[in-house]
Amino acid sequence: MLIGGRWVASASGATFPDRDPSTGAVITTLPEASAADVDAVVRAASDALDSWAHRDASERGRLLNRLADLLELEQDYIGRLESSDNGRPFRETHAQAGIVAKWYRYFAGMADKIEGETIPVDGPYLNYTRRVPVGVCGALTPWNHPLLIASKKIAPALACGNTVVVKPSELAPLSVLELGRLAIEAGLPPGVLNVITGQRSAGEALARSPHVARIDLTGSTATGIAVVKASADTLKRTGLELGGKAANIVFEDADLDRSLRGAMFAGFIAQGQSCVAGSRLLIQRSVVEGFSKRLAAKIPKIRVGDPLLPATQMGPLITPAAAQRVDGFVKAALNDGSRLLLGGTPPRNLDAGLSPDGFYNPTLLWTEDPESKIAQEEVFGPVVSLIPFDTEADAVAIANNIKFGLGASIWTRDVTRAHRVAEALRAGVIWINDYHRIDPASPWGGFGFSGYGRENGYEAVRMFTEVKSVWVPLAEQPMNWYESEAPERLN
C-alpha cells in the first residue's frame, strides 16, 4: 500500500488474493488494511495537508499535468491490467484508459482558477468569499471502472489543495495502485495521494475516522447508506454516486437503427455492470415488435470470451457469485411473468482455460409490468428488460416510477419532445439520441437512491472546497452599540 510516499505491508501482515475473473486464477496477493493502517494513512495525509494546501495552485496544476503525461504513456498497460483484474474486454478498458488523463488535465487547468466572489451587501462594507480545501478526503471506489472513477474524485480533490486516501475495491485494485506509483514518479509530495487495499472494514474505518473531512463513494446504494451511517458521528461531508436503473426511451419517430445500436451499448457495455446501464428499455408499442425482433437477432452476435483478446466484446462478470445473482434475477423475472427473448444462460464453448462460472450470456426479457422486481431493482449484469409503452406521458411515468435517478436516454427525431421529456425525467444525467457520454467538465450524479452530490466540472470544486465569507468595514467610525441611545444597527 502507498502510505506517506512509501510502499508498505499491512501492520498485521495480513493479505488477500486478487483474482482474474475470467480464469479464477490468483493474479497477486495484496495487503489487507486494518484500523491501524487506516490510522497511519490518515496521519500521513494530515501531515501533508498544510504544505500541499498552501503550495501555489499553478504548481499543483503542473504536477497534475505531469501525472496526466505518465497516464497517457501507460494506456495499453493500464487497459490490460484492468481487463485482467475486472474481466472487462480490453477494447473497453483500453479505450477508457485513454481518457483518464483528461480529468487530471482539466483540473490541473482549474487549480489556479478557483475564485471567490465579492458580495454586494448593505452598508459601508466589503464582503468577499474564498474557497479553501476541505482537508483530508477519503475515496471509496468500485471495481467496474477502477481508475476512471477514482480519478473523478482524486483529480479535483488534489487540484483544490486537499490530500487524498483512496481505497479501491478489493476486487480490482491494481490500476489504482499503479496510479499511486505514477503519482510518485510525477513528483507529488509524500502523503498527498495515498492508496490502501483491503476489505469493507477498511472503508468503514476510513468513513469513521475523525481526521477525514470528506468521504466520497461510488458503489451500491446499500454501501452508500452504510457509509453515511459510519460517517455521521463525525459530520463528514459526503458525496455518493450509487445505484441506478436507467430508462432508455425509444419513441416511434426515432431513428431506429441508431436507437438499436444505442440500446445494445447502453445495456451490455461492461457486461451491464454499470450504474447507468440502460437496463430498462422502454419502446413505444407501435414499433416494439419489429424493434424487439431486430434486437434479438443482433445481440447474439456479441462476442463473449477472453477479455484480453482484442476481438472479445463481453467478458465475465466480476465473480461467480455475481453471475449466480444475475441468473437468480432472470429466473425470478420469468416466474413473475416476463418473457425470455434470448439469453438467460451461461455461454457454451468458451475457450480453454476460461472459467465458465463467471460468464453469462447477454439476456433480453419482455416485461409488461414496469413495477415488477426485474424492472425496479438493479441487476448489475447483462440483462435488459424491454418494456412497451403507449404515450409520451406513459413513458415519463414509467421512467420516473422508481427509487433511482442517475441516468436516462431519449431517442426521437422530434426536438421539442426531446427537451420536453428531458425536463420531465427525474435523473441527473440525460442523453438525447446517444448514451453514456461523459466529460470532466460535465456534472455527473443522481437523484433519490442514486445518491447526492456531483462529480466533474465546477460542481466538483464546490464539493472539495469550503467557503469562507470575509467582512471588512470601510467606514472609519467604530461600532457604537453600547454608547448610543439610537444604535445604527443590530447586525
Side-chain angles (χ1 to χ4, degrees):
M1 301 182 289
L2 179 61
I3 297 179
R6 296 173 53 242
W7 293 103
V8 299
S10 61
S12 67
T15 62
F16 66 95
D18 181 39
R19 297 182 184 276
D20 181 335
S22 66
T23 65
V26 174
I27 301 171
T28 188
T29 56
L30 294 166
E32 184 166 335
S34 65
D37 297 302
V38 172
D39 287 343
V41 75
V42 171
R43 281 198 304 273
S46 298
D47 290 345
L49 178 62
D50 190 63
S51 62
W52 180 250
H54 289 93
R55 183 176 289 236
D56 286 347
S58 59
E59 173 65 8
R60 292 201 300 266
R62 187 189 70 79
L63 291 172
L64 291 179
N65 270 320
R66 174 62 180 146
L67 180 54
D69 292 341
L70 296 175
L71 284 165
E72 286 174 340
L73 293 174
E74 288 210 354
Q75 178 182 357
D76 187 76
Y77 176 69
I78 289 170
R80 293 186 183 280
L81 197 63
E82 289 200 344
S83 286
S84 297
D85 214 14
N86 71 2
R88 287 186 64 183
F90 176 69
R91 68 201 308 267
E92 293 181 14
T93 57
H94 182 264
Q96 195 165 86
I99 67 168
V100 168
K102 291 176 62 176
W103 268 257
Y104 294 93
R105 294 208 187 284
Y106 178 87
F107 286 103
M110 184 75 81
D112 59 359
K113 301 171 186 66
I114 300 172
E115 300 174 344
E117 298 175 316
T118 302
I119 313 296
V121 295
D122 288 345
Y125 286 90
L126 169 65
N127 179 224
Y128 65 91
T129 64
R130 294 193 62 219
R131 288 195 170 271
V132 298
V134 172
V136 176
C137 296
L140 305 176
T141 61
W143 46 262
N144 54 346
H145 311 277
L147 187 55
L148 176 62
I149 290 179
S151 296
K152 287 166 71 177
K153 304 179 193 309
I154 293 167
L158 296 183
C160 291
N162 304 283
T163 56
V164 176
V165 177
V166 57
K167 193 204 88 68
S169 168
E170 66 276 12
L171 297 176
L174 297 184
S175 61
V176 181
L177 286 165
E178 178 65 5
L179 175 69
R181 190 188 71 78
L182 295 179
I184 295 173
E185 187 176 337
L188 266 68
V192 169
L193 176 62
N194 307 271
V195 185
I196 60 169
T197 54
Q199 308 301 316
R200 179 172 179 164
S201 58
E204 289 177 351
L206 194 61
R208 292 184 189 281
S209 172
H211 304 294
V212 173
R214 179 175 183 85
I215 195 86
D216 279 85
L217 165 77
T218 297
S220 71
T221 298
T223 303
I225 292 170
V227 164
V228 170
K229 289 179 178 178
S231 65
D233 287 345
T234 51
L235 287 180
K236 279 183 181 51
R237 308 306 188 254
T238 55
L240 304 174
E241 202 271 80
L242 307 177
K245 191 75 174 176
N248 194 12
I249 306 171
V250 180
F251 288 97
E252 60 188 358
D253 65 343
D255 180 335
L256 296 184
D257 286 335
R258 184 171 183 172
S259 305
L260 188 72
R261 292 180 173 88
M264 291 181 63
F265 180 85
F268 301 120
I269 197 74
Q271 288 87 268
Q273 298 171 124
S274 173
C275 50
V276 290
S279 54
R280 290 188 299 159
L281 179 57
L282 279 57
I283 311 292
Q284 197 152 20
R285 201 173 292 276
S286 57
V287 295
V288 69
E289 286 287 351
F291 194 94
S292 65
K293 288 177 181 177
R294 292 180 61 191
L295 193 59
K298 199 170 182 65
I299 289 172
K301 297 177 182 178
I302 295 174
R303 295 185 294 273
V304 181
D306 185 344
L308 287 174
L309 295 179
T312 297
Q313 296 175 316
M314 183 177 288
L317 276 73
I318 188 65
T319 62
Q324 292 170 11
R325 180 176 181 272
V326 169
D327 190 56
F329 265 104
V330 173
K331 286 182 169 60
L334 298 179
N335 289 334
D336 287 345
S338 290
R339 178 158 52 96
L340 183 67
L341 299 185
L342 80 156
T345 61
R348 298 184 179 90
N349 304 318
L350 286 170
D351 293 340
L354 298 179
S355 172
D357 294 343
F359 286 82
Y360 203 80
N361 278 322
T363 298
L364 182 64
L365 300 169
W366 184 298
T367 304
E368 287 284 350
D369 181 6
E371 295 186 6
S372 62
K373 179 180 178 182
I374 194 66
Q376 289 287 314
E377 295 189 18
E378 188 175 34
V379 177
F380 226 66
V383 178
V384 171
S385 291
L386 189 156
I387 305 171
F389 70 89
D390 293 307
T391 67
E392 178 182 311
D394 292 335
V396 171
I398 292 169
N400 286 344
N401 185 26
I402 200 162
K403 63 184 179 181
F404 300 109
L406 182 55
S409 184
I410 304 158
W411 302 83
T412 179
R413 287 190 174 98
D414 185 335
V415 66
T416 58
R417 166 180 277 167
H419 291 289
R420 186 169 62 242
V421 174
E423 178 70 17
L425 292 177
R426 293 279 299 170
V429 187
I430 297 171
W431 299 276
I432 296 172
N433 296 326
D434 207 338
Y435 207 88
H436 206 174
R437 302 304 301 175
I438 59 173
D439 190 274
S442 180
W444 179 278
F447 296 0
F449 275 60
S450 290
Y452 50 75
R454 292 295 183 269
E455 297 175 327
N456 300 341
Y458 206 78
E459 294 297 324
V461 172
R462 293 187 177 97
M463 298 278 282
F464 287 103
T465 56
E466 298 277 22
V467 176
K468 288 183 177 181
S469 177
V470 181
W471 288 76
V472 183
L474 302 180
E476 293 185 359
Q477 64 270 27
M479 187 180 295
N480 62 351
W481 180 261
Y482 291 105
E483 287 76 20
S484 172
E485 294 182 2
E488 295 178 359
R489 59 163 204 158
L490 176 61
N491 50 33

